[in-house]
Amino acid sequence: MRVLGVDPGLTRCGVGVVEGVAGRPLTMLGVGVVRTPADAELGQRLVVIEQGIERWLDEHRPEFVAVERVFSQHNVRTVMGTAQASAVAMLCAARRGIPVALHTPSEVKAAVTGHGRADKAQVGAMVTRLLRLDAPPKPADAADALALAICHIWRAPAQNRLQQAVAQNRLQQAAALHASKNAPNRVPKGAPNHAQNDAPHHAQNNAPKTAENRAPKGRTA
């Protein structure tokens, strides 16, 4: 599995490519940062990010793109820029038909370090160790991008099993609904059964006449 991790940011957008499967040693294929000038217009900065991500997609041909899920922060301006860069990354992947996975920062930290509140130094140290690098990638955005890719490789098998279970459950529900619609009409439980209610009356009318019933009118047996 080859995954492009994207740590979205308007000024620095971290990107990193990792290849491997869960339970086996992973390999880093590339890491870097897409930078945009802070004094440029917003639209132009987003174009620069798009062009940078497109170059990484062309060069490495990933099977999946893992993007950090944007969450609320106190600095609204910062979170807006992060969300815009994240949308660009997802757009680039979707345009090529590449599946996109979103992972929260705590999910990534827990997957890489075993602790959902690890700091950037701990994440960088574990990324260096897991990918057998000589030194932690700089800046931290680049290390975070690699951590996203590692997180997705390790979490993908469980996510796939969950998605398959959900899909199978939906198929079973659809089949049950289809069967109920096409089933023959049945008397609902608790509803009156007219055939049974009419049976005693019908039997009484057709019962054989006794000697008393056959006696002529006005005579006694």
Side-chain angles (χ1 to χ4, degrees):
M1 179 187 299
R2 181 175 296 187
V3 181
L4 170 64
V6 179
D7 180 45
L10 197 55
T11 302
R12 295 185 307 274
C13 183
V15 286
V17 182
V18 178
E19 188 173 55
V21 295
R24 296 185 180 181
L26 305 177
T27 302
M28 184 192 75
L29 302 182
V31 65
V33 175
V34 179
R35 300 178 183 271
T36 68
D39 57 349
E41 294 183 357
L42 174 61
Q44 184 59 38
R45 299 179 76 179
L46 295 177
V47 169
V48 173
I49 293 174
E50 178 194 22
Q51 293 172 344
I53 293 177
E54 289 287 353
R55 286 194 296 269
W56 279 82
L57 293 174
D58 286 336
E59 180 178 355
H60 294 284
R61 303 290 180 181
E63 301 169 75
F64 298 90
V65 173
V67 183
E68 182 180 286
R69 185 185 296 275
V70 180
F71 63 97
S72 178
Q73 294 177 339
H74 297 294
N75 191 335
V76 178
R77 183 176 180 180
T78 300
V79 75
M80 285 296 295
T82 303
Q84 290 161 344
S86 175
V88 170
M90 290 188 286
L91 173 64
C92 292
R95 193 158 48 199
R96 296 171 179 245
I98 302 174
V100 177
L102 300 177
H103 300 285
T104 65
S106 59
E107 289 174 345
V108 176
K109 294 175 182 178
V112 175
T113 70
H115 194 288
R117 295 185 178 181
D119 57 26
K120 287 187 176 296
Q122 291 173 314
V123 172
M126 285 303 301
V127 166
T128 304
R129 178 180 176 183
L130 293 170
L131 298 178
R132 304 177 304 283
L133 306 177
D134 296 332
K138 299 292 184 179
D141 309 85
D144 289 343
L146 292 173
L148 275 158
I150 295 172
C151 173
H152 183 71
I153 292 174
W154 285 354
R155 289 172 59 92
Q159 289 180 337
N160 291 338
R161 288 194 295 269
L162 178 61
Q163 292 174 352
Q164 290 174 357
V166 171
Q168 183 177 5
N169 184 53
R170 290 177 178 174
L171 287 174
Q172 291 175 347
Q173 290 179 348
L177 179 62
H178 179 74
S180 64
K181 287 183 178 180
N182 294 330
N185 293 331
R186 296 178 179 177
V187 178
K189 187 176 181 180
N193 190 324
H194 297 291
Q196 294 180 357
N197 294 339
D198 292 342
H201 178 71
H202 179 74
Q204 181 178 357
N205 291 340
N206 294 304
K209 294 181 179 181
T210 61
E212 181 180 358
N213 293 336
R214 290 197 299 267
K217 291 183 179 180
R219 297 179 58 186
T220 59

